[in-house]
Amino acid sequence: MNILLWHVHGSWTTAFVQGPHTYLVPVTPDRGPDGLGRARTFSWPASVRELTPEQLRDAEVDLVLLQRPHELELAERRLGGRRPGRDIPAVYLEHNAPDGDVPATRHPYADRDDLTLVHVTHFNRLFWDCGTTRTEVVEHGIVDSGHRYTGRLARAAVVVNEPVRRGRHTGTDLLPALSEAAPLDVFGMRTEGLAAHLGLPEDRCRCADLPQSELHAALAERRLYLHPVRWTSLGLSLLEAMHLGMPVVALATTEAVEAVPPGAGTLSTRPEVLARAARRYLEEPEAAAEDGARARQAALERYGLKRFLHDWERVMTEACS
């Protein structure tokens, strides 16, 4: 099939485009949010093709994968008046947990009969009010980069984008107390100035924004993966860390309680429990490696790429039928 999708979420798309189809990604001269084109920091196959708005008008498209509320109208304009869900089969992919009047948050694509709404976690489907729209869950899949864990650095890795702006959502306010248990290396976009914002010395809170290829190598050197996020969908970086063989210390919120099984780390709603777990991993590197190996096995079994692509093949085939 020829599948039209916008480049919205680089990590998720990296797994999705490993399938057997041709993936049409809009590109504009400014490479803005509605025309980002191919990824520059992720490895995508040649089956991902960039198309300009002019090329899209007459392009052969078998399925449209929508990911943001405005994309339905955007796609209709770009496709020369062909409307997703009416003239071309369509699927709406919801990446995020609801944010607003939780748990009564109404999805912008609720009560529709012209498309299928796909959630990335069962938690998200439970909490979004989608009305009568047909819904599915296709859990994340990860491109496995191998068991690379060494844990040679007695530090905790955190991956989060825009921690200052997102604040309590990402648990940024919890980092000062957690940094007393383990020095932190925070990776992600717009992390600069985080230590000063939190009033922490640089050696307790280092920050960097690395491309995925370098990020995985850097994560694998840290003793543990720390996930202090209060409210999000399910961070792909958490699953990537588990694939690397890292033990996990995470808040027991949203889908994390399903993703991290017993023996793969510590989950709790009490930050002091997370601090004790982080301190233990720093003091007992063998225990960290053993829990990390179990985390990797669990991630391979539940979030493997083969299962992910198989589930999407089923959803897309049903949508096109």
Side-chain angles (χ1 to χ4, degrees), residues 11 152-164 166 170 172 175 183-195 198 202 204-229 235-238 240-241 244 246:
S11 294
R152 69 177 187 86
L153 300 178
R155 302 181 67 86
V158 181
V159 178
V160 59
N161 291 325
E162 301 186 74
V164 174
R166 296 168 69 193
T170 55
T172 304
L175 295 180
L184 309 177
D185 288 329
V186 183
F187 301 95
M189 295 185 294
R190 289 180 281 282
T191 55
E192 61 275 2
L194 177 61
L198 297 175
E202 290 289 341
R204 303 304 292 186
C205 183
R206 299 173 182 167
C207 297
D209 183 6
L210 302 177
Q212 189 184 46
S213 57
E214 296 179 27
L215 175 62
H216 288 171
L219 290 177
E221 291 185 321
R222 273 66 187 175
R223 186 68 51 80
L224 66 132
Y225 185 81
L226 177 63
H227 190 67
V229 182
L236 280 168
S237 56
L238 169 66
E240 289 169 351
L244 293 169
M246 300 184 72

Side-chain angles (χ1 to χ4, degrees), residues 1-5 20-24 49 51 56 58-65 79 82-91 313 315-321:
M1 292 191 292
N2 290 333
I3 301 171
L4 170 63
L5 74 157
H21 307 289
T22 298
Y23 305 90
L24 309 177
R49 295 174 47 207
L51 268 70
L56 268 175
D58 299 315
E60 180 180 341
V61 177
D62 299 303
L63 177 75
V64 180
L65 180 67
L79 292 169
R82 292 174 289 170
R83 188 172 182 82
R86 182 189 66 196
D87 305 307
I88 304 173
V91 171
E313 199 68 22
V315 168
M316 293 188 296
T317 299
E318 291 176 357
C320 290
S321 65

Side-chain angles (χ1 to χ4, degrees), residues 68-133:
R68 296 169 295 174
H70 74 280
E71 286 185 2
L72 182 64
E73 302 300 330
L74 176 64
E76 185 175 6
R77 293 199 308 272
R78 293 287 189 262
L79 292 169
R82 292 174 289 170
R83 188 172 182 82
R86 182 189 66 196
D87 305 307
I88 304 173
V91 171
Y92 189 99
L93 172 63
E94 180 53 70
H95 288 283
N96 301 315
D99 189 10
D101 187 20
V102 179
T105 313
R106 187 81 167 163
H107 197 278
Y109 278 69
D111 292 332
R112 301 189 71 105
D113 60 5
D114 56 347
L115 52 75
T116 299
L117 203 162
V118 179
H119 298 282
V120 296
T121 71
H122 292 276
F123 178 91
N124 288 4
R125 180 162 70 171
L126 179 67
F127 272 74
W128 274 112
D129 176 7
C130 298
T132 59
T133 303

Side-chain angles (χ1 to χ4, degrees), residues 16-61:
F16 183 69
V17 299
Q18 305 304 314
H21 307 289
T22 298
Y23 305 90
L24 309 177
V25 179
V27 64
T28 55
D30 65 349
R31 291 189 178 268
D34 290 335
L36 194 56
R38 285 177 57 93
R40 296 178 175 181
T41 59
F42 296 88
S43 179
W44 287 3
S47 57
V48 183
R49 295 174 47 207
E50 291 185 341
L51 268 70
T52 65
E54 294 73 25
Q55 292 170 322
L56 268 175
R57 179 170 294 273
D58 299 315
E60 180 180 341
V61 177

